[in-house]
Amino acid sequence: METFKEKRTAPRCRVREIGQTGVEMKENIKEKIIALITEILQVPEGMVTENTLMEDLEAWDSVAQVMIIGELESRLGISVPLDEAMEMTGVADILGRL
């Protein structure tokens, strides 16, 4: 696991690559969000999908939710107001904000 300092100095992900279509960009960001959630929850790859709900994973509690929202903004530049973030119940809700 990266330390806090390593995370802060790591380059940000580029959400849109040069020449990407809107569909490709959406798939790219979806993959990045799922990977980010997988990393934060420390669950095996493939366990988080776009249909995963908070209730499906024991590790996805309110603290993890705040961490996910914070990292979405920090790494991907996706801003979600905290009150809205707490109403989100799964990956589909997060993806629906895009």
Side-chain angles (χ1 to χ4, degrees):
M1 185 106 203
E2 296 175 317
T3 65
F4 179 76
K5 185 175 181 180
E6 289 170 336
K7 284 185 181 179
R8 302 312 287 173
T9 59
R12 285 184 161 196
C13 295
R14 291 186 59 192
V15 174
R16 185 176 185 133
E17 302 295 331
I18 296 172
Q20 262 186 331
T21 67
V23 172
E24 290 170 332
M25 183 184 76
K26 192 141 183 136
E27 281 299 310
N28 185 17
I29 192 69
K30 179 176 84 170
E31 291 171 11
K32 288 180 181 184
I33 289 171
I34 289 172
L36 182 142
I37 294 169
T38 299
E39 175 189 334
I40 291 171
L41 299 179
Q42 298 180 357
V43 295
E45 195 171 314
M47 189 171 238
V48 177
T49 69
E50 62 186 291
N51 298 316
T52 302
L53 299 173
M54 288 178 71
E55 63 193 41
D56 296 337
L57 301 171
E58 188 176 324
W60 198 345
D61 58 15
S62 59
V63 174
Q65 181 78 341
V66 171
M67 291 174 61
I68 290 166
I69 299 306
E71 290 299 312
L72 284 172
E73 185 162 0
S74 173
R75 295 189 199 181
L76 302 176
I78 299 170
S79 181
V80 179
L82 190 55
D83 58 330
E84 290 180 31
M86 298 316 280
E87 293 176 6
M88 295 179 178
T89 60
V91 176
D93 289 340
I94 295 170
L95 296 174
R97 295 267 314 144
L98 303 179

